[in-house]
Amino acid sequence: MHTFNIKKPSREIEPAILEKIDFLTKPKGSLGKLESLAAKICLIQQTLEPKLSKPHNILFAADHGIIAEGVSVSPKEVTWQQLSHFSHGGAGINFLCNQHGFKLVLVDAGVDYDIPAGRGIIDCKIRKSTDNFLHGPAMTLEECELAIARGASVVDQVHATGCNVVSFGEMGSGNTSSSSMWMHAFTGIPLAECIGAGAGLDKPGVAHKLDVLTRAWENYTGDDSAESYIAWFGGFEMVMAVGGMLRAAELGMTILVDGFIMTACILAASKLNPDVLEYAVFGHQGDESGHKLMLQALNADPILHLGLRLGEGSGAVCAYPILESAVRMINEMDNFQSVGVTKYF
């Protein structure tokens, strides 16, 4: 499988970053998370004067074979219908991208539908839907590698425009099931604690989902490698996001991580190269059961907790203004010496 040459940011600049933040005209630590976020972006960019440039939200869409087992209230056709909706504007992610200055990039990773040309949707389709992982691997290792490569190539495209901060979204009925399987495989958290309502399952629906995924886990016959788990239980849109995240880190970009599904993707990416986490900023803690536990497993400190469970990259884009405030803080605030104010801490 393709490897990514991700450089762990040098810590040599860290004392200078912290000194600059501490000597801004404020009590030490008084801007809380803005200070830690500013330090993170400075480390990623290896500068005391960070910049956020041309943010993009890349939304991958694909269908999942596991949907045949009744693990989601969303029928399969919702995937292509929503992808078409995104292309026309008016969806949740559209207004948020418009509000916060994000370019929305739509990608067909494996939708079970022939998307018409001319809709502004990038065709990266591996094939129409993964297989049902209750009975075998969702995709082959070769397809998994292709999905990683195609996700990376989309990031190359946005990076070429001058983008240095990117979020990822998804659309795919059934993809909370894949995310739960990755969470269980990579953290060891009991499967029952990894499963939630998804798009709106009731209690009997969640119990059925747990039964299906428990049997799927029992049927797994792979070699327990990260690559095997990713291919066996993943979706094409999720694996493309993994490739995109790894390439973004390789390029030194800041990665804004969205909700449950994208957190599962950065978790999977970290099993292929742990240094990807050095470039990750976690946008929010969603209400999908298990998201809090997965964030804790990653030692992640999310920016927002707004009860979101939409996906699409919505929570990451919502969090962007906080990241922008952190960058403005370190670039635009005066320091005590420059304005002649007595340091009062």
Side-chain angles (χ1 to χ4, degrees), residues 221-304:
T221 58
D223 63 7
D224 296 325
S225 66
E227 294 85 353
S228 176
Y229 286 136
I230 290 170
W232 196 287
F233 298 115
F236 291 132
E237 84 283 23
M238 296 169 63
V239 180
M240 284 194 193
V242 168
M245 291 170 173
L246 291 166
R247 181 58 176 152
E250 188 175 41
L251 291 168
M253 301 170 72
T254 298
I255 303 164
L256 260 173
V257 183
D258 191 43
F260 181 63
I261 295 155
M262 289 298 104
T263 303
C265 290
I266 198 76
L267 172 63
S270 74
K271 299 305 175 181
L272 298 177
N273 191 322
D275 288 337
V276 70
L277 294 173
E278 300 286 342
Y279 296 84
V281 174
F282 291 83
H284 77 114
Q285 178 185 311
D287 269 5
E288 176 69 12
S289 178
H291 193 201
K292 180 179 180 180
L293 293 176
M294 186 157 44
L295 289 167
Q296 290 173 346
L298 286 163
N299 294 314
D301 183 19
I303 296 172
L304 304 174

Side-chain angles (χ1 to χ4, degrees), residues 121-266:
I121 298 168
I122 300 173
D123 183 7
C124 288
K125 194 191 297 283
I126 305 294
R127 59 179 162 91
K128 292 183 176 181
S129 179
T130 55
D131 293 327
N132 185 345
F133 64 69
L134 177 62
H135 306 297
M139 67 188 77
T140 67
L141 288 173
E142 292 76 17
E143 289 172 328
C144 183
E145 168 62 20
L146 183 58
I148 285 175
R150 289 185 178 176
S153 72
V154 177
V155 168
D156 282 331
Q157 293 176 44
V158 304
H159 183 259
T161 71
C163 169
N164 72 354
V165 55
V166 62
S167 59
F168 297 90
E170 41 62 40
M171 183 64 216
S173 297
N175 58 15
T176 59
S177 292
S178 290
S179 300
S180 295
M181 298 303 282
W182 280 2
M183 177 181 171
H184 175 61
F186 293 132
T187 69
I189 293 171
L191 193 53
E193 296 179 38
C194 302
I195 293 172
L201 289 171
D202 56 15
K203 286 186 178 180
V206 173
H208 171 70
K209 184 177 179 180
L210 175 59
D211 174 66
V212 170
L213 298 193
T214 299
R215 287 186 285 125
W217 181 256
E218 292 169 350
N219 291 341
Y220 171 74
T221 58
D223 63 7
D224 296 325
S225 66
E227 294 85 353
S228 176
Y229 286 136
I230 290 170
W232 196 287
F233 298 115
F236 291 132
E237 84 283 23
M238 296 169 63
V239 180
M240 284 194 193
V242 168
M245 291 170 173
L246 291 166
R247 181 58 176 152
E250 188 175 41
L251 291 168
M253 301 170 72
T254 298
I255 303 164
L256 260 173
V257 183
D258 191 43
F260 181 63
I261 295 155
M262 289 298 104
T263 303
C265 290
I266 198 76

Side-chain angles (χ1 to χ4, degrees), residues 75-135:
K76 184 172 63 173
E77 62 268 21
V78 167
T79 303
W80 73 259
Q81 290 170 351
Q82 274 293 84
L83 183 59
S84 178
H85 185 202
F86 300 145
S87 72
H88 288 94
I93 193 58
N94 295 104
F95 87 78
L96 288 168
C97 285
N98 291 339
Q99 179 183 2
H100 299 306
F102 274 68
K103 171 73 173 178
L104 177 61
V105 178
L106 303 174
V107 182
D108 176 3
V111 177
D112 192 6
Y113 189 80
D114 292 318
I115 303 293
R119 298 288 182 90
I121 298 168
I122 300 173
D123 183 7
C124 288
K125 194 191 297 283
I126 305 294
R127 59 179 162 91
K128 292 183 176 181
S129 179
T130 55
D131 293 327
N132 185 345
F133 64 69
L134 177 62
H135 306 297

